[in-house]
Amino acid sequence: MNNNDMMEREEIFSKVLRAGRRTYFFDVRATKADDYYLTITESKKFTNDDGSFHYKKHKIYIYKEDFSEFKDILAEMTDYIIEKKGDEVISERHQKDFKKNYEVENTEETSTNENSSQKSTESFTDVDFDDI
């Protein structure tokens, strides 16, 4: 089998779900016996301190004999979450007024510095240059 045949097998059918820093790839692939199975890959982007980035990937394989149970359990689990917690996203990161910790710290430092500068200038005598 040449590389073109392998590439055709690799790209039978695919869908992509972009979700923030994560991307999910759903790919139908073929076994050596030319039967199909599903791979789900989670790719998560990480940014290094120097601004460069890298991806971490996790992959699961789901074979036809497990589709029915997998689909049932996935539906049961997602229904359970929606039933118990609703479909509103409640993580801090997704709140409208979410501020990263460093933003809150910088805001607090700024207001502390402003208060400090107000206090330090209060000890000075107010001089009007017209008096000199």
Side-chain angles (χ1 to χ4, degrees), residues 21-26 39-45 55-60:
R21 290 183 355 183
R22 290 181 170 88
T23 302
Y24 299 97
F25 299 93
F26 298 84
T39 64
I40 301 173
T41 306
E42 176 199 41
S43 177
K44 188 173 179 183
K45 184 177 182 177
Y55 295 92
K56 287 189 179 179
K57 295 181 181 182
H58 298 92
K59 186 176 286 199
I60 62 170

Side-chain angles (χ1 to χ4, degrees), residues 109-122:
E109 287 174 14
T110 303
S111 50
T112 303
N113 289 341
E114 288 172 1
N115 291 341
S116 298
S117 63
Q118 286 176 351
K119 288 179 185 174
S120 62
T121 58
E122 289 172 2

Side-chain angles (χ1 to χ4, degrees), residues 3-127:
N3 284 342
N4 288 339
D5 289 339
M6 283 300 290
M7 288 301 291
E8 287 176 19
R9 284 186 171 208
E10 293 287 325
E11 299 177 4
I12 295 167
F13 183 65
S14 295
K15 291 277 187 167
V16 176
L17 170 62
R18 299 194 192 291
R21 290 183 355 183
R22 290 181 170 88
T23 302
Y24 299 97
F25 299 93
F26 298 84
D27 298 302
V28 174
R29 299 183 184 246
T31 65
K32 289 179 182 177
D34 205 30
D35 202 0
Y36 290 170
Y37 64 98
L38 172 67
T39 64
I40 301 173
T41 306
E42 176 199 41
S43 177
K44 188 173 179 183
K45 184 177 182 177
F46 290 90
T47 306
N48 300 319
D49 293 337
D50 65 359
S52 63
F53 53 88
H54 67 280
Y55 295 92
K56 287 189 179 179
K57 295 181 181 182
H58 298 92
K59 186 176 286 199
I60 62 170
Y61 298 82
I62 306 163
Y63 297 94
K64 285 183 357 186
E65 60 268 21
D66 302 320
F67 284 177
S68 180
E69 285 184 78
F70 184 88
K71 186 172 78 169
D72 292 346
I73 291 172
L74 179 62
E76 180 181 357
M77 302 308 271
T78 55
D79 290 347
Y80 177 86
I81 292 169
I82 299 300
E83 177 187 317
K84 296 295 182 185
K85 295 295 182 179
D87 58 2
E88 178 185 357
V89 177
I90 57 173
S91 68
E92 289 178 355
R93 183 176 300 271
H94 292 90
Q95 295 301 316
K96 292 178 182 121
D97 60 347
F98 173 74
K99 291 183 181 177
K100 292 182 181 177
N101 286 338
Y102 70 85
E103 290 176 0
V104 173
E105 289 170 6
N106 285 342
T107 305
E108 290 171 359
E109 287 174 14
T110 303
S111 50
T112 303
N113 289 341
E114 288 172 1
N115 291 341
S116 298
S117 63
Q118 286 176 351
K119 288 179 185 174
S120 62
T121 58
E122 289 172 2
S123 64
F124 291 110
T125 305
D126 187 19
V127 176

